[in-house]
Amino acid sequence: MKILSIETSCDETSMAVCEIVENNESKTMELFYHGVHSQINIHKEFGGVFPNVARREHQENSIPMLLQALASYPHHIPCQVTDSQQARIRDMLAREERLFLHLEDHVMRRAMRPDLDIICVTNGPGLEPALWVGVHLAQALGILWNIPVIPVNHMDGHILSTLIDPTLATIPYNQKIPLASLDYPTLSLLISGGHTELVSSTESGMYTKLGKTRDDAVGEAFDKVARLLDLPYPGGPEVSRLAREYTHTLPRPEFPRPMIHSDDYDFSFSGLKTAVLYHIKTYTRPLTMEDKQGIAYAFEEAVTDVLVHKTKKALDYTQAQTLIVAGGVSANKKIISALDAMCSAHYPTCTLRIPHRTLTGDNALMIALAGYMTYTKSPHASFEDIRALGRLSL
Ligand code: KG4
Ligand code: ZN
C-alpha cells in the first residue's frame, strides 16, 4: 500500500511517502520521502508553542514540503482535475486561503498525480488550529487524487513508530526494510510534551488506558524545569545534557517522587516542578553551573524513578510481552536505560521497543505506520467529515 502521511499537530510540519507491503504476516516498508520541518526557532522566542503561530507556519511550509515529497516519489500517473473537484477543494479550503492558492498554483495544474493508495493525517490530539492545516490539506488532496483519507491518532503514531528497527544507523530511502510485529499483550508508556500515559493493548489498534498524568506531562515538567534553570525551549534535551555533566562528588538536592506508591497507574509532575522551584529559592546567590547540574540530575532521577516504578506495576498487572516507550521524552537515555534494566531484571521475556532516534519526536512516518494499521484493519473512509480533535484520546 502506497501512502502519503501528514503530521501538523504541534510545532513540526512533517510528511512522508512510503510503501508498506505485507507477505505471510511479515511486513516491509520502503521509504521514498520523509521531511520534518521544525518550528522550534520561531517558538523559542516565546518559550512555548503558540497555536496560531504554529498554524501559520504549517500553512507556509506544507506546500513546499509536499512538492519535495512528490519530486522524490518515482510513480506518477496522468490525471485531470474536473471543475467539480476544483469547486469541492475550494469549499474545503475556504478557511485556508493561502493553502488553496499554493495548491492551485503548484499541484492542481499538474496533469500527473502520484500513484498512491491512501493519505494518512493526524487529526488529534494536538493544537486544533495546527491540526486543521494538515486535515484540510489531506482532504483536498484526497479529492484531487480520488483516494481515501485516514484520520490517525497522534499517540497511536508514537506507539507504532517503534515498528522500525531502532538499531539502524539511518532509515534508508528506496530500500525495503522489515517492520517488527508486536507480541501482545503490549504495554505502552507514552511520554511527550503533552502526554504521560500507560496504555495496554491485547490486539492491534485496541487500547485501554491504565493511567495518565493528573497535571503536567513529563516533557512539560522537563520544559518548565529548564525555564527555571534559564535553559532554552524545548528544555528536555537541555536538562538531560546538564544532568549528564553532574559530578557525583558534589552535593545535590533530593526531590520528591510524587505518587510513586499510589494505588493506581496515574502520575503527577507539577509538585516535582514546584519542589525544584522552592529549592532554587533557597539560594541567596545566583546558581552556578554546578548547582544547575545537581538540580537537573536530581530532577531527572526523580522522574526516572517514578516512571520505572509505575511501569513495573503496570507490567505486573498486564503481563505484557512487549513494553513500548515512545513520545518525545523517549529520546532521554537515562529514562530508557533505567526502564531497560528494570525490564531485563524482572520480565526477561518482555521485549522493550523504542523508536529509532530520528523518530522520537513528532514525524509523519509514524503516522503512515499507524494509518496503515488502522486502514488494513477496517478499510473505510468518510474523509469529508474528518475533524481535528485537540483532545482526541486513544
Ligand atoms: O512527542 P513530542 O516531540 O511532542 C509532543 O507531542 O509533545 O515531545 C516533545 C517533548 C518536549 O517536552 C521535550 O522537552 C521532550 O519531549 N524531550 C525530552 C528529551 N527530548 C525531548 N525530554 C527529556 N529528555 C530528552 N532527551
Ligand atoms: Zn508527539
Side-chain angles (χ1 to χ4, degrees), residues 109-149:
R109 297 217 168 110
R110 294 172 172 226
M112 302 291 278
R113 72 166 181 85
D115 181 14
L116 295 168
D117 300 306
I118 55 171
I119 300 170
C120 302
V121 63
T122 309
N123 77 317
L127 307 169
E128 275 185 16
L131 286 162
W132 271 121
V133 180
V135 168
H136 279 142
L137 176 61
Q139 288 170 318
L141 294 174
I143 296 170
L144 186 63
W145 300 335
N146 204 14
I147 54 175
V149 180

mmCIF file of all heavy atoms in Angstrom, residues 109-149:
data_model
loop_
_atom_site.group_PDB
_atom_site.id
_atom_site.type_symbol
_atom_site.label_atom_id
_atom_site.label_comp_id
_atom_site.label_asym_id
_atom_site.label_seq_id
_atom_site.Cartn_x
_atom_site.Cartn_y
_atom_site.Cartn_z
ATOM 1 N N ARG A 109 -2.627 22.180 -11.081
ATOM 2 C CA ARG A 109 -2.435 22.386 -12.526
ATOM 3 C C ARG A 109 -1.650 21.248 -13.180
ATOM 4 O O ARG A 109 -1.499 21.226 -14.388
ATOM 5 C CB ARG A 109 -1.694 23.709 -12.769
ATOM 6 C CG ARG A 109 -2.500 24.887 -12.274
ATOM 7 C CD ARG A 109 -2.352 26.106 -13.171
ATOM 8 N NE ARG A 109 -3.358 27.084 -12.791
ATOM 9 C CZ ARG A 109 -3.074 28.236 -12.189
ATOM 10 N NH1 ARG A 109 -1.826 28.570 -11.956
ATOM 11 N NH2 ARG A 109 -4.046 29.051 -11.850
ATOM 12 N N ARG A 110 -1.113 20.350 -12.363
ATOM 13 C CA ARG A 110 -0.317 19.262 -12.943
ATOM 14 C C ARG A 110 -1.219 18.271 -13.664
ATOM 15 O O ARG A 110 -2.306 17.974 -13.168
ATOM 16 C CB ARG A 110 0.387 18.473 -11.839
ATOM 17 C CG ARG A 110 1.408 19.278 -11.124
ATOM 18 C CD ARG A 110 1.910 18.498 -9.935
ATOM 19 N NE ARG A 110 3.026 19.241 -9.381
ATOM 20 C CZ ARG A 110 4.188 18.710 -9.020
ATOM 21 N NH1 ARG A 110 4.370 17.419 -9.093
ATOM 22 N NH2 ARG A 110 5.145 19.468 -8.551
ATOM 23 N N ALA A 111 -0.710 17.726 -14.724
ATOM 24 C CA ALA A 111 -1.505 16.719 -15.439
ATOM 25 C C ALA A 111 -1.198 15.319 -14.919
ATOM 26 O O ALA A 111 -1.687 14.321 -15.435
ATOM 27 C CB ALA A 111 -1.219 16.801 -16.924
ATOM 28 N N MET A 112 -0.321 15.239 -13.910
ATOM 29 C CA MET A 112 0.050 13.947 -13.329
ATOM 30 C C MET A 112 -0.256 13.973 -11.835
ATOM 31 O O MET A 112 -0.252 15.026 -11.211
ATOM 32 C CB MET A 112 1.557 13.710 -13.484
ATOM 33 C CG MET A 112 2.065 13.735 -14.901
ATOM 34 S SD MET A 112 1.494 12.323 -15.855
ATOM 35 C CE MET A 112 2.656 11.085 -15.344
ATOM 36 N N ARG A 113 -0.518 12.784 -11.300
ATOM 37 C CA ARG A 113 -0.653 12.699 -9.853
ATOM 38 C C ARG A 113 0.152 11.499 -9.354
ATOM 39 O O ARG A 113 0.409 10.564 -10.123
ATOM 40 C CB ARG A 113 -2.119 12.562 -9.452
ATOM 41 C CG ARG A 113 -2.743 11.210 -9.772
ATOM 42 C CD ARG A 113 -4.058 11.098 -9.023
ATOM 43 N NE ARG A 113 -4.739 9.835 -9.229
ATOM 44 C CZ ARG A 113 -4.503 8.722 -8.542
ATOM 45 N NH1 ARG A 113 -3.539 8.678 -7.651
ATOM 46 N NH2 ARG A 113 -5.207 7.632 -8.774
ATOM 47 N N PRO A 114 0.569 11.526 -8.078
ATOM 48 C CA PRO A 114 1.326 10.382 -7.581
ATOM 49 C C PRO A 114 0.419 9.164 -7.503
ATOM 50 O O PRO A 114 -0.768 9.285 -7.180
ATOM 51 C CB PRO A 114 1.752 10.831 -6.178
ATOM 52 C CG PRO A 114 0.754 11.866 -5.789
ATOM 53 C CD PRO A 114 0.342 12.551 -7.058
ATOM 54 N N ASP A 115 0.983 8.001 -7.821
ATOM 55 C CA ASP A 115 0.223 6.756 -7.751
ATOM 56 C C ASP A 115 0.244 6.273 -6.296
ATOM 57 O O ASP A 115 1.107 5.499 -5.903
ATOM 58 C CB ASP A 115 0.890 5.740 -8.683
ATOM 59 C CG ASP A 115 0.140 4.431 -8.692
ATOM 60 O OD1 ASP A 115 -1.006 4.392 -8.212
ATOM 61 O OD2 ASP A 115 0.713 3.439 -9.185
ATOM 62 N N LEU A 116 -0.704 6.802 -5.500
ATOM 63 C CA LEU A 116 -0.759 6.472 -4.073
ATOM 64 C C LEU A 116 -2.103 5.826 -3.775
ATOM 65 O O LEU A 116 -3.084 6.050 -4.498
ATOM 66 C CB LEU A 116 -0.621 7.742 -3.231
ATOM 67 C CG LEU A 116 0.720 8.479 -3.315
ATOM 68 C CD1 LEU A 116 0.615 9.862 -2.683
ATOM 69 C CD2 LEU A 116 1.812 7.663 -2.618
ATOM 70 N N ASP A 117 -2.164 5.056 -2.674
ATOM 71 C CA ASP A 117 -3.421 4.392 -2.319
ATOM 72 C C ASP A 117 -4.216 5.132 -1.249
ATOM 73 O O ASP A 117 -5.436 5.143 -1.277
ATOM 74 C CB ASP A 117 -3.124 2.966 -1.834
ATOM 75 C CG ASP A 117 -2.434 2.167 -2.919
ATOM 76 O OD1 ASP A 117 -2.978 2.100 -4.032
ATOM 77 O OD2 ASP A 117 -1.322 1.649 -2.667
ATOM 78 N N ILE A 118 -3.496 5.662 -0.261
ATOM 79 C CA ILE A 118 -4.206 6.369 0.820
ATOM 80 C C ILE A 118 -3.385 7.576 1.295
ATOM 81 O O ILE A 118 -2.167 7.621 1.097
ATOM 82 C CB ILE A 118 -4.509 5.464 2.064
ATOM 83 C CG1 ILE A 118 -3.220 4.809 2.608
ATOM 84 C CG2 ILE A 118 -5.549 4.417 1.747
ATOM 85 C CD1 ILE A 118 -3.423 4.086 3.949
ATOM 86 N N ILE A 119 -4.100 8.493 1.949
ATOM 87 C CA ILE A 119 -3.437 9.607 2.633
ATOM 88 C C ILE A 119 -3.766 9.449 4.118
ATOM 89 O O ILE A 119 -4.940 9.257 4.476
ATOM 90 C CB ILE A 119 -3.963 10.967 2.134
ATOM 91 C CG1 ILE A 119 -3.706 11.104 0.628
ATOM 92 C CG2 ILE A 119 -3.329 12.120 2.901
ATOM 93 C CD1 ILE A 119 -4.398 12.296 -0.002
ATOM 94 N N CYS A 120 -2.755 9.481 4.972
ATOM 95 C CA CYS A 120 -2.985 9.381 6.414
ATOM 96 C C CYS A 120 -2.663 10.734 7.031
ATOM 97 O O CYS A 120 -1.626 11.326 6.705
ATOM 98 C CB CYS A 120 -2.048 8.337 7.029
ATOM 99 S SG CYS A 120 -2.242 6.720 6.281
ATOM 100 N N VAL A 121 -3.530 11.190 7.925
ATOM 101 C CA VAL A 121 -3.283 12.510 8.535
ATOM 102 C C VAL A 121 -3.608 12.479 10.024
ATOM 103 O O VAL A 121 -4.594 11.873 10.439
ATOM 104 C CB VAL A 121 -4.096 13.610 7.806
ATOM 105 C CG1 VAL A 121 -5.602 13.412 7.919
ATOM 106 C CG2 VAL A 121 -3.714 14.987 8.329
ATOM 107 N N THR A 122 -2.766 13.132 10.802
ATOM 108 C CA THR A 122 -3.031 13.258 12.241
ATOM 109 C C THR A 122 -4.254 14.149 12.438
ATOM 110 O O THR A 122 -4.247 15.291 11.962
ATOM 111 C CB THR A 122 -1.837 13.946 12.944
ATOM 112 O OG1 THR A 122 -0.659 13.271 12.579
ATOM 113 C CG2 THR A 122 -2.017 13.951 14.448
ATOM 114 N N ASN A 123 -5.266 13.634 13.141
ATOM 115 C CA ASN A 123 -6.417 14.518 13.425
ATOM 116 C C ASN A 123 -6.549 14.808 14.919
ATOM 117 O O ASN A 123 -7.499 15.426 15.351
ATOM 118 C CB ASN A 123 -7.715 13.960 12.833
ATOM 119 C CG ASN A 123 -8.294 12.827 13.621
ATOM 120 O OD1 ASN A 123 -7.544 11.939 14.055
ATOM 121 N ND2 ASN A 123 -9.601 12.818 13.817
ATOM 122 N N GLY A 124 -5.583 14.385 15.736
ATOM 123 C CA GLY A 124 -5.572 14.722 17.139
ATOM 124 C C GLY A 124 -4.777 13.673 17.899
ATOM 125 O O GLY A 124 -4.421 12.650 17.301
ATOM 126 N N PRO A 125 -4.443 13.862 19.150
ATOM 127 C CA PRO A 125 -4.593 15.129 19.871
ATOM 128 C C PRO A 125 -3.492 16.105 19.467
ATOM 129 O O PRO A 125 -2.516 15.712 18.863
ATOM 130 C CB PRO A 125 -4.430 14.689 21.340
ATOM 131 C CG PRO A 125 -3.549 13.478 21.276
ATOM 132 C CD PRO A 125 -3.856 12.795 19.984
ATOM 133 N N GLY A 126 -3.706 17.369 19.838
ATOM 134 C CA GLY A 126 -2.717 18.391 19.473
ATOM 135 C C GLY A 126 -3.378 19.762 19.521
ATOM 136 O O GLY A 126 -4.448 19.933 20.117
ATOM 137 N N LEU A 127 -2.747 20.719 18.851
ATOM 138 C CA LEU A 127 -3.281 22.080 18.827
ATOM 139 C C LEU A 127 -4.244 22.172 17.651
ATOM 140 O O LEU A 127 -3.840 21.979 16.502
ATOM 141 C CB LEU A 127 -2.140 23.081 18.627
ATOM 142 C CG LEU A 127 -0.971 22.955 19.616
ATOM 143 C CD1 LEU A 127 0.208 23.815 19.162
ATOM 144 C CD2 LEU A 127 -1.427 23.372 21.011
ATOM 145 N N GLU A 128 -5.513 22.463 17.940
ATOM 146 C CA GLU A 128 -6.508 22.373 16.857
ATOM 147 C C GLU A 128 -6.198 23.254 15.642
ATOM 148 O O GLU A 128 -6.288 22.776 14.508
ATOM 149 C CB GLU A 128 -7.921 22.623 17.387
ATOM 150 C CG GLU A 128 -8.475 21.322 17.916
ATOM 151 C CD GLU A 128 -9.912 21.366 18.369
ATOM 152 O OE1 GLU A 128 -10.644 22.311 18.024
ATOM 153 O OE2 GLU A 128 -10.290 20.421 19.098
ATOM 154 N N PRO A 129 -5.810 24.524 15.848
ATOM 155 C CA PRO A 129 -5.534 25.326 14.642
ATOM 156 C C PRO A 129 -4.434 24.693 13.788
ATOM 157 O O PRO A 129 -4.471 24.760 12.560
ATOM 158 C CB PRO A 129 -5.069 26.675 15.214
ATOM 159 C CG PRO A 129 -5.618 26.710 16.602
ATOM 160 C CD PRO A 129 -5.620 25.285 17.088
ATOM 161 N N ALA A 130 -3.458 24.068 14.431
ATOM 162 C CA ALA A 130 -2.355 23.417 13.708
ATOM 163 C C ALA A 130 -2.849 22.139 13.030
ATOM 164 O O ALA A 130 -2.568 21.895 11.850
ATOM 165 C CB ALA A 130 -1.218 23.115 14.681
ATOM 166 N N LEU A 131 -3.620 21.344 13.762
ATOM 167 C CA LEU A 131 -4.140 20.089 13.207
ATOM 168 C C LEU A 131 -4.990 20.328 11.959
ATOM 169 O O LEU A 131 -4.920 19.574 10.983
ATOM 170 C CB LEU A 131 -5.023 19.384 14.245
ATOM 171 C CG LEU A 131 -4.302 18.700 15.411
ATOM 172 C CD1 LEU A 131 -5.293 18.455 16.560
ATOM 173 C CD2 LEU A 131 -3.668 17.387 14.971
ATOM 174 N N TRP A 132 -5.779 21.402 11.995
ATOM 175 C CA TRP A 132 -6.688 21.658 10.861
ATOM 176 C C TRP A 132 -5.936 21.837 9.550
ATOM 177 O O TRP A 132 -6.428 21.480 8.482
ATOM 178 C CB TRP A 132 -7.559 22.894 11.132
ATOM 179 C CG TRP A 132 -8.844 22.576 11.842
ATOM 180 C CD1 TRP A 132 -9.254 23.059 13.050
ATOM 181 C CD2 TRP A 132 -9.905 21.713 11.378
ATOM 182 N NE1 TRP A 132 -10.486 22.544 13.376
ATOM 183 C CE2 TRP A 132 -10.915 21.721 12.366
ATOM 184 C CE3 TRP A 132 -10.101 20.925 10.231
ATOM 185 C CZ2 TRP A 132 -12.097 20.993 12.251
ATOM 186 C CZ3 TRP A 132 -11.285 20.199 10.123
ATOM 187 C CH2 TRP A 132 -12.255 20.232 11.117
ATOM 188 N N VAL A 133 -4.729 22.420 9.619
ATOM 189 C CA VAL A 133 -3.982 22.642 8.378
ATOM 190 C C VAL A 133 -3.717 21.298 7.699
ATOM 191 O O VAL A 133 -3.972 21.128 6.503
ATOM 192 C CB VAL A 133 -2.643 23.382 8.645
ATOM 193 C CG1 VAL A 133 -1.898 23.601 7.335
ATOM 194 C CG2 VAL A 133 -2.890 24.711 9.349
ATOM 195 N N GLY A 134 -3.236 20.325 8.483
ATOM 196 C CA GLY A 134 -2.955 19.001 7.917
ATOM 197 C C GLY A 134 -4.220 18.313 7.446
ATOM 198 O O GLY A 134 -4.255 17.710 6.361
ATOM 199 N N VAL A 135 -5.277 18.405 8.262
ATOM 200 C CA VAL A 135 -6.535 17.728 7.908
ATOM 201 C C VAL A 135 -7.099 18.313 6.611
ATOM 202 O O VAL A 135 -7.477 17.576 5.688
ATOM 203 C CB VAL A 135 -7.565 17.842 9.074
ATOM 204 C CG1 VAL A 135 -8.953 17.423 8.630
ATOM 205 C CG2 VAL A 135 -7.100 17.007 10.265
ATOM 206 N N HIS A 136 -7.128 19.639 6.524
ATOM 207 C CA HIS A 136 -7.672 20.261 5.304
ATOM 208 C C HIS A 136 -6.843 19.908 4.073
ATOM 209 O O HIS A 136 -7.381 19.614 3.007
ATOM 210 C CB HIS A 136 -7.724 21.794 5.463
ATOM 211 C CG HIS A 136 -8.926 22.238 6.241
ATOM 212 N ND1 HIS A 136 -8.896 23.281 7.144
ATOM 213 C CD2 HIS A 136 -10.194 21.773 6.249
ATOM 214 C CE1 HIS A 136 -10.106 23.432 7.672
ATOM 215 N NE2 HIS A 136 -10.910 22.536 7.142
ATOM 216 N N LEU A 137 -5.524 19.931 4.241
ATOM 217 C CA LEU A 137 -4.670 19.615 3.107
ATOM 218 C C LEU A 137 -4.907 18.168 2.659
ATOM 219 O O LEU A 137 -5.045 17.888 1.461
ATOM 220 C CB LEU A 137 -3.196 19.828 3.477
ATOM 221 C CG LEU A 137 -2.191 19.440 2.404
ATOM 222 C CD1 LEU A 137 -2.401 20.278 1.135
ATOM 223 C CD2 LEU A 137 -0.752 19.623 2.900
ATOM 224 N N ALA A 138 -4.983 17.256 3.628
ATOM 225 C CA ALA A 138 -5.192 15.836 3.297
ATOM 226 C C ALA A 138 -6.539 15.659 2.581
ATOM 227 O O ALA A 138 -6.643 14.926 1.585
ATOM 228 C CB ALA A 138 -5.151 14.992 4.568
ATOM 229 N N GLN A 139 -7.560 16.341 3.076
ATOM 230 C CA GLN A 139 -8.883 16.213 2.449
ATOM 231 C C GLN A 139 -8.861 16.750 1.019
ATOM 232 O O GLN A 139 -9.416 16.137 0.101
ATOM 233 C CB GLN A 139 -9.928 16.954 3.284
ATOM 234 C CG GLN A 139 -10.223 16.227 4.590
ATOM 235 C CD GLN A 139 -11.063 17.075 5.537
ATOM 236 O OE1 GLN A 139 -10.825 18.281 5.679
ATOM 237 N NE2 GLN A 139 -12.032 16.461 6.186
ATOM 238 N N ALA A 140 -8.184 17.889 0.837
ATOM 239 C CA ALA A 140 -8.124 18.474 -0.511
ATOM 240 C C ALA A 140 -7.393 17.519 -1.455
ATOM 241 O O ALA A 140 -7.838 17.286 -2.591
ATOM 242 C CB ALA A 140 -7.410 19.831 -0.457
ATOM 243 N N LEU A 141 -6.291 16.938 -0.983
ATOM 244 C CA LEU A 141 -5.536 16.009 -1.845
ATOM 245 C C LEU A 141 -6.333 14.732 -2.096
ATOM 246 O O LEU A 141 -6.262 14.148 -3.181
ATOM 247 C CB LEU A 141 -4.181 15.670 -1.196
ATOM 248 C CG LEU A 141 -3.207 16.847 -1.085
ATOM 249 C CD1 LEU A 141 -1.958 16.439 -0.303
ATOM 250 C CD2 LEU A 141 -2.806 17.362 -2.473
ATOM 251 N N GLY A 142 -7.104 14.321 -1.100
ATOM 252 C CA GLY A 142 -7.958 13.137 -1.267
ATOM 253 C C GLY A 142 -8.969 13.357 -2.389
ATOM 254 O O GLY A 142 -9.226 12.460 -3.206
ATOM 255 N N ILE A 143 -9.533 14.567 -2.441
ATOM 256 C CA ILE A 143 -10.484 14.896 -3.516
ATOM 257 C C ILE A 143 -9.744 14.948 -4.859
ATOM 258 O O ILE A 143 -10.178 14.373 -5.858
ATOM 259 C CB ILE A 143 -11.172 16.258 -3.242
ATOM 260 C CG1 ILE A 143 -12.012 16.192 -1.966
ATOM 261 C CG2 ILE A 143 -12.023 16.681 -4.439
ATOM 262 C CD1 ILE A 143 -12.532 17.544 -1.499
ATOM 263 N N LEU A 144 -8.595 15.614 -4.838
ATOM 264 C CA LEU A 144 -7.831 15.813 -6.074
ATOM 265 C C LEU A 144 -7.383 14.490 -6.679
ATOM 266 O O LEU A 144 -7.464 14.287 -7.889
ATOM 267 C CB LEU A 144 -6.620 16.686 -5.732
ATOM 268 C CG LEU A 144 -5.741 17.165 -6.868
ATOM 269 C CD1 LEU A 144 -6.536 18.060 -7.810
ATOM 270 C CD2 LEU A 144 -4.535 17.935 -6.312
ATOM 271 N N TRP A 145 -6.896 13.584 -5.848
ATOM 272 C CA TRP A 145 -6.338 12.338 -6.354
ATOM 273 C C TRP A 145 -7.326 11.171 -6.263
ATOM 274 O O TRP A 145 -6.992 10.038 -6.608
ATOM 275 C CB TRP A 145 -5.055 11.977 -5.581
ATOM 276 C CG TRP A 145 -3.983 13.029 -5.710
ATOM 277 C CD1 TRP A 145 -3.836 13.928 -6.726
ATOM 278 C CD2 TRP A 145 -2.911 13.291 -4.783
ATOM 279 N NE1 TRP A 145 -2.740 14.729 -6.496
ATOM 280 C CE2 TRP A 145 -2.148 14.355 -5.314
ATOM 281 C CE3 TRP A 145 -2.512 12.731 -3.561
ATOM 282 C CZ2 TRP A 145 -1.027 14.869 -4.665
ATOM 283 C CZ3 TRP A 145 -1.391 13.239 -2.926
ATOM 284 C CH2 TRP A 145 -0.661 14.296 -3.480
ATOM 285 N N ASN A 146 -8.500 11.484 -5.691
ATOM 286 C CA ASN A 146 -9.562 10.486 -5.592
ATOM 287 C C ASN A 146 -9.122 9.231 -4.806
ATOM 288 O O ASN A 146 -9.308 8.105 -5.259
ATOM 289 C CB ASN A 146 -10.000 10.112 -7.020
ATOM 290 C CG ASN A 146 -11.410 9.590 -7.010
ATOM 291 O OD1 ASN A 146 -12.121 9.758 -6.008
ATOM 292 N ND2 ASN A 146 -11.816 8.937 -8.083
ATOM 293 N N ILE A 147 -8.526 9.457 -3.656
ATOM 294 C CA ILE A 147 -8.107 8.335 -2.798
ATOM 295 C C ILE A 147 -8.562 8.600 -1.357
ATOM 296 O O ILE A 147 -8.788 9.757 -0.975
ATOM 297 C CB ILE A 147 -6.570 8.085 -2.836
ATOM 298 C CG1 ILE A 147 -5.788 9.363 -2.500
ATOM 299 C CG2 ILE A 147 -6.140 7.525 -4.179
ATOM 300 C CD1 ILE A 147 -4.274 9.137 -2.398
ATOM 301 N N PRO A 148 -8.699 7.538 -0.544
ATOM 302 C CA PRO A 148 -9.194 7.714 0.824
ATOM 303 C C PRO A 148 -8.222 8.480 1.735
ATOM 304 O O PRO A 148 -7.008 8.385 1.558
ATOM 305 C CB PRO A 148 -9.338 6.274 1.353
ATOM 306 C CG PRO A 148 -9.206 5.376 0.191
ATOM 307 C CD PRO A 148 -8.486 6.122 -0.884
ATOM 308 N N VAL A 149 -8.803 9.173 2.694
ATOM 309 C CA VAL A 149 -8.015 9.867 3.723
ATOM 310 C C VAL A 149 -8.307 9.207 5.067
ATOM 311 O O VAL A 149 -9.476 9.034 5.432
ATOM 312 C CB VAL A 149 -8.386 11.369 3.790
ATOM 313 C CG1 VAL A 149 -7.566 12.067 4.868
ATOM 314 C CG2 VAL A 149 -8.145 12.023 2.439
#
